[in-house]
């Protein structure tokens, strides 16, 4: 069964304290891995798409990396405004735009 | 470029009623997907529409249905509402169907009393 698992469920950091979020998946023949950020009561905001092992993408304090079985979202020197739930998703083994989402990691950054 | 818009943003209904939610995709996007988000289950895929045809369906009962119009706008309908249907309903649009990035709207918060 296709699955996406994110860890940890929740993460509390001090401002400036770098860390990483993990997303592991069991889908074979990966057709892309997507990272989103979601603020409370809002729709997910697209961050990155990764397609192949070894690929990396960066945006401000965030860097996403991909291996054959997992992806990491590295957060460098986070600020309070980085507080949100971070979701990763993969398409299942069938055509179409359906995405399987992980349950997310809720990040809280305090000053 | 305007993003994905969803109306209404909030809805309160009672059990047994039906509801229709609307989604306008990003201009030029032809694919629209719907998701249900609840605290317990997270984001779950409902269905996907492309060129006015339902192309894919998640594991939801037949009370959940949808359609897409020629201008790519989409509606989702839930009949005979149950308490468990209370959720944030999200619409996402993408250019095509294969590995294209999906962009989400703000969602419609449905509360069933």
């Amino acid at each position: 069964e296709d699955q996406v698992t994110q860890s940890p469920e929740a993460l509390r950091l001090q401002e400036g304290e770098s860390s990483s979020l993990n997303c592991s998946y069991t889908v074979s023949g990966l057709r892309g891995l997507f990272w989103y950020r979601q603020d409370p009561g809002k729709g997910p905001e697209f961050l990155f798409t990764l397609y192949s092992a070894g690929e990396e993408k960066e945006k401000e304090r965030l860097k996403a990396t991909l291996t054959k079985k997992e992806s990491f979202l590295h957060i460098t020197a986070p600020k309070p405004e980085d507080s949100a739930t971070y979701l990763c998703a993969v398409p299942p083994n069938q055509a179409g735009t359906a995405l399987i989402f992980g349950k997310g990691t809720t990040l809280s950054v305090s000053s | 470029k305007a993003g994905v818009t969803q109306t209404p943003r909030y809805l309160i209904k009672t059990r047994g009623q039906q509801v229709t939610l609307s989604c306008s995709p990003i201009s030029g996007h032809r694919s629209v997907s719907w998701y249900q988000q609840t605290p317990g289950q997270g984001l779950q895929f409902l269905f996907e529409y492309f060129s006015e045809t339902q192309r894919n369906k998640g594991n939801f009962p037949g009370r959940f249905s949808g359609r897409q119009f020629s201008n790519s706008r989409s509606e989702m309908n839930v009949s005979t509402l149950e308490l468990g249907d209370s959720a944030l309903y999200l619409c996402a649009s993408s250019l095509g169907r294969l590995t294209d990035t999906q962009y989400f709207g703000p969602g419609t918060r449905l509360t069933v009393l």
Side-chain angles (χ1 to χ4, degrees), chain A residues 50-99:
Chain A
L50 302 167
Y51 288 106
S52 55
E55 189 175 358
E56 297 183 354
K57 289 195 176 172
E58 288 189 63
K59 180 180 180 180
E60 296 180 358
R61 295 176 293 282
L62 301 175
K63 183 169 81 171
T65 61
L66 182 65
T67 70
K68 286 188 176 180
K69 287 298 179 188
E70 59 190 348
S71 176
F72 293 93
L73 185 64
H74 307 278
I75 303 176
T76 302
K79 298 182 177 182
E81 53 262 42
D82 294 322
S83 298
T85 296
Y86 291 86
L87 299 163
C88 74
V90 299
N93 262 328
Q94 61 187 75
T97 59
L99 289 176

Side-chain angles (χ1 to χ4, degrees), chain B residues 39-97:
Chain B
Q41 298 297 317
L43 265 152
Q44 293 187 292
F45 171 74
L46 278 158
F47 27 63
E48 170 205 356
Y49 286 88
F50 183 81
S51 294
E52 302 178 64
T53 302
Q54 187 181 95
R55 303 289 183 157
N56 214 343
K57 192 176 190 303
N59 190 23
F60 278 83
R63 300 185 296 108
F64 292 81
S65 63
R67 58 178 175 168
Q68 186 181 33
F69 303 96
S70 58
N71 60 358
S72 294
R73 191 177 70 85
S74 177
E75 287 182 347
M76 190 193 99
N77 184 275
V78 188
S79 62
T80 320
L81 284 166
E82 300 177 0
L83 294 178
D85 296 333
S86 294
L88 181 66
Y89 289 88
L90 293 159
C91 164
S93 77
S94 60
L95 275 171
R97 299 190 65 218

Side-chain angles (χ1 to χ4, degrees), chain A residues 31 36 38 49 51 94 97, chain B residues 33 35 37 56 99 101-102:
Chain A
R31 296 186 291 120
Y36 290 87
Q38 186 174 27
T49 307
Y51 288 106
Q94 61 187 75
T97 59
Chain B
S33 294
Y35 295 83
Q37 186 174 33
N56 214 343
T99 67
T101 299
Q102 292 185 50

